[in-house]
Amino acid sequence: MEGTLNDASSSAIEAAPTRQQRRMLEIAGLRKRFGTVEVLRDVSLAVSAGEVVVVIGPSGSGKTTLLRCINLLEEYERGSITIDGEPIGYRVDGRTGKRLRMSEREIAAARQRIGMVFQSYNLFPHMNVMQNIVAAPVRVKGIDRRQAEARARELLAMVGLSDKLAEYPIRLSGGQQQRVAIARALAMDPKIMLFDEITSALDPELVGEVLAAVQQLASDGMTMVVVTHEMSFARDIADRIVFMDAGVIVEEGKPDQLLFAPRTERVRAFLKRYNDRYRI
């Protein structure tokens, strides 16, 4: 591993967002349990508009759970999450100070501001590519079908799949299906995109085409939170990298600082094990 490693305390190290813009995502004091196991322990994170934050760490550190809480696919016990200033899932009663769960209609509306792409593609097998992309904009947002189809063509061109709009998922490679999933999420015009290990189910030779699509989004200024084990990709795409372990943020910083000169022993140990097998 390149760079010089400096000794530092193992306490959490924080770095300011790299872009001085409004906060698109703000997480404060988030706590989440599965039974008796606390998988997120007082997690706080702010992401500025247009910023790309990559979350790394060992398996079981809480990375995926964090993403799922942002989209309220997982309920959380304490803390708050806002997207562009609007709460997700819960709001605080100004009179009593109690946390109140939002209505299902409010939660559904809030989720429209968030795009999420999972490890598995989750495409509808009985729909072709075009139908997969336009279904939500037409049915959920009430967008005119012709307008939705025009937008779908633009998105397919962006991910390099203009010639696949009439194909069904079974006839697409894993990389192609994942790029359709990205286009489908973007069709809702989200304010932020969440990516959860989107290359983990792909053959190595298909990884590059998916990462290229995400890099294009970063170049276009999309706000993103990306969970990945692809360290080289993290270095290339991130404005800031966050390292999680045991449900807490241990350290965060700019890519070259965190990957090549981490301040905490825990991050140094993680990256040493990674570099024993791969190269950043």
Side-chain angles (χ1 to χ4, degrees):
M1 183 167 61
E2 300 172 4
T4 302
L5 301 181
N6 299 316
D7 292 333
S9 168
S10 61
S11 59
I13 304 295
E14 296 184 357
T18 59
R19 302 185 186 187
Q20 299 302 315
Q21 300 179 7
R22 77 183 189 280
R23 288 182 172 179
M24 182 59 69
L25 168 66
E26 189 160 11
I27 302 169
L30 193 67
R31 290 183 176 272
K32 166 66 182 175
R33 288 181 177 274
F34 289 121
T36 60
V37 179
E38 192 169 30
V39 293
L40 294 176
R41 300 186 289 145
D42 199 28
V43 172
S44 295
L45 178 68
V47 180
S48 297
E51 187 180 16
V52 179
V53 172
V54 173
V55 184
I56 64 172
S59 298
S61 59
K63 306 183 300 297
T64 292
T65 301
L66 178 63
L67 291 191
R68 291 177 63 85
C69 285
I70 294 172
N71 208 16
L72 209 67
L73 295 176
E74 295 287 353
E75 302 281 346
Y76 51 93
E77 283 74 41
R78 294 181 60 183
S80 64
I81 301 173
T82 60
I83 300 292
D84 204 15
E86 296 294 324
I88 297 292
Y90 303 90
R91 59 167 47 93
V92 177
D93 187 302
R95 184 173 54 86
T96 65
K98 292 183 178 180
R99 191 180 75 150
L100 303 175
R101 196 178 193 278
M102 297 164 62
S103 70
E104 291 303 321
R105 178 174 294 183
E106 290 174 314
I107 290 171
R111 283 186 177 133
Q112 292 182 33
R113 304 196 297 270
I114 306 167
M116 188 164 182
V117 182
F118 302 86
Q119 297 178 31
S120 54
Y121 324 123
N122 293 328
L123 299 179
F124 298 116
H126 62 289
M127 295 182 179
N128 65 28
V129 167
M130 175 64 80
Q131 292 167 337
N132 263 280
I133 295 174
V134 304
V138 171
R139 297 178 185 178
V140 177
K141 299 186 76 173
I143 294 175
D144 177 77
R145 179 169 291 276
R146 286 175 297 182
Q147 180 183 345
E149 289 180 349
R151 176 62 173 153
R153 290 187 177 91
E154 292 175 0
L155 293 170
L156 287 171
M158 187 199 75
V159 298
L161 294 173
S162 293
D163 60 335
K164 302 296 183 182
L165 60 87
E167 295 286 0
Y168 283 82
I170 196 171
R171 295 178 59 85
L172 301 177
S173 69
Q176 289 170 335
Q177 290 188 60
Q178 195 62 290
R179 283 184 284 161
V180 172
I182 293 172
R184 181 175 63 176
L186 291 170
M188 293 293 283
D189 291 324
K191 292 188 173 184
I192 186 170
M193 287 289 293
L194 311 176
F195 294 97
D196 182 23
E197 294 285 7
I198 58 172
T199 61
S200 64
L202 299 179
D203 293 335
E205 62 185 7
L206 300 177
V207 169
E209 62 191 42
V210 175
L211 299 186
V214 178
Q215 285 176 316
Q216 180 61 53
L217 288 179
S219 298
D220 292 343
M222 172 62 72
T223 308
M224 295 189 283
V225 180
V226 181
V227 169
T228 186
H229 284 104
E230 299 278 347
M231 296 298 162
S232 295
F233 173 59
R235 182 188 183 191
D236 290 343
I237 197 174
D239 294 309
R240 184 162 41 117
I241 295 180
V242 170
F243 179 88
M244 290 188 68
D245 187 32
V248 300
I249 294 176
V250 176
E251 182 175 344
E252 57 181 292
K254 293 183 177 180
D256 283 347
Q257 177 268 307
L258 189 139
L259 294 176
F260 299 120
R263 298 185 181 96
T264 62
E265 182 58 38
R266 180 65 187 94
V267 179
R268 287 198 291 268
F270 174 83
L271 293 174
K272 182 180 185 302
R273 283 197 297 271
Y274 182 90
N275 278 292
D276 285 344
R277 298 179 61 188
Y278 311 101
R279 293 186 62 187
I280 297 178

